[in-house]
Amino acid sequence: MNKTELIDKIAAKANLTKADSRKALDAALEAIKEALAADEKVALIGFGTFSVNVRAAREGINPRKNEKILIPEKKVAKFKAGAELADALK
């Protein structure tokens, strides 16, 4: 499912126009992005939790030159499914 298809489903289920559904989805995604950028967790009970993890710096190998390189520390988004979502996937 892509974003347009998700907007169509939201519009149908919530009895909203597609324009209103797009605005609502964009606002929700922006709020999640801002919270994660501020290192906050976003917990949606029954759905799941979005959080930020830090990948430690590590040593890697450049496959072209076969030399060691340092891969810097990096923040990554993480999602853990909630109980209701996990049960729905069984």
Side-chain angles (χ1 to χ4, degrees):
M1 175 183 296
N2 62 32
K3 187 174 179 180
T4 303
E5 293 168 341
L6 181 57
I7 289 169
D8 291 343
K9 288 223 179 224
I10 292 170
K13 288 194 178 262
N15 199 20
L16 297 170
T17 66
K18 287 183 184 181
D20 287 342
S21 297
R22 179 180 298 278
K23 288 177 189 175
L25 179 60
D26 288 342
L29 295 176
E30 184 65 27
I32 292 170
K33 182 170 45 173
E34 288 173 0
L36 293 176
D39 283 336
E40 297 175 9
K41 282 186 179 181
V42 178
L44 304 172
I45 304 301
F47 183 72
T49 303
F50 296 91
S51 61
V52 177
N53 274 9
V54 177
R55 259 193 217 152
R58 63 191 192 279
E59 201 172 79
I61 296 177
N62 179 344
R64 287 189 179 179
K65 297 180 181 180
N66 204 25
E67 61 186 24
K68 292 183 180 182
I69 58 172
L70 179 65
I71 301 169
E73 179 178 276
K74 179 180 180 180
K75 289 184 178 183
V76 293
K78 177 183 171 186
F79 176 76
K80 182 174 186 234
E84 288 179 32
L85 178 58
D87 289 344
L89 300 177
K90 289 183 180 178

